[in-house]
Amino acid sequence: MKHLLVAVLALAAMFVSAMPATPPALAAASPASTGADPAPVSLKGRGLVVGGPCSYADHPGTATILAVTPAPQDDSASAPPYQAFQVTYVFTADQPLPALGAPEEGRTQRLTLTNGWDPGRRFLEKYDIRPGRRIPCVLRIIQSGTCTPLILEFPGIDRSDYFEAGK
């Protein structure tokens, strides 16, 4: 059994080292603009895979807020210290998206804070997040590196703004 495990691990290592750094589908994509992350950065708590350096193609669009509803109460120690609200939205790109990003368009998604918490009432008021509102949004699609492949960002909304938590 031990020899079988060693053989499987050796084959897996050979397979991973033989893979190209950038998948062919990504290498063929033509970015609208490219941003580069200069070095690996610690992104603990952001739900992002650490790796780098990475570059992204930015695809601007709009997030339309579908609903803002009270989140179920969570009594765990990791729950926010305020009444949280689930915010759902759909992303619509300004221009046609490459194949990797196309499934993101029109898919119902949740807007959360960087640490994964749902926002509170005061956060929603501060950033004017309400049903029907259209908010600028950017879909970032990875072009090279090993970071998170797709990231939706909201210029003008600081998703790391934890003022309601008292921190």
Side-chain angles (χ1 to χ4, degrees), residues 1-151:
M1 183 69 168
K2 180 179 174 183
H3 296 296
L4 178 61
L5 179 59
V6 171
V8 168
L9 290 174
L11 283 172
M14 287 175 29
F15 176 73
V16 169
S17 65
M19 293 180 67
T22 303
L26 292 180
S30 65
S33 67
T34 301
D37 294 335
V41 178
S42 175
L43 298 172
K44 291 182 180 174
R46 291 186 175 207
L48 301 177
V49 176
V50 176
C54 298
S55 65
Y56 288 85
D58 291 350
H59 301 274
T62 304
T64 302
I65 306 298
L66 299 175
V68 177
T69 58
Q73 288 287 62
D74 183 358
D75 295 329
S76 72
S78 62
Y82 52 79
Q83 169 61 54
F85 289 83
Q86 291 182 347
V87 177
T88 55
Y89 69 93
V90 293
F91 172 76
T92 304
D94 291 345
Q95 301 290 323
L97 293 170
L100 182 61
E104 296 302 303
E105 191 165 30
R107 182 170 70 93
T108 300
Q109 307 202 45
R110 276 183 58 193
L111 188 148
T112 60
L113 301 180
T114 304
N115 66 358
W117 285 355
D118 288 313
R121 181 178 310 280
R122 290 177 33 219
F123 183 95
L124 300 175
E125 290 169 357
K126 179 177 180 177
Y127 294 103
D128 193 24
I129 298 170
R130 55 187 157 69
R133 178 154 184 248
R134 295 171 45 90
I135 300 171
C137 187
V138 176
L139 175 61
R140 302 192 78 207
I141 301 176
I142 196 163
Q143 298 300 297
S144 65
T146 59
C147 301
T148 302
L150 301 170
I151 302 171

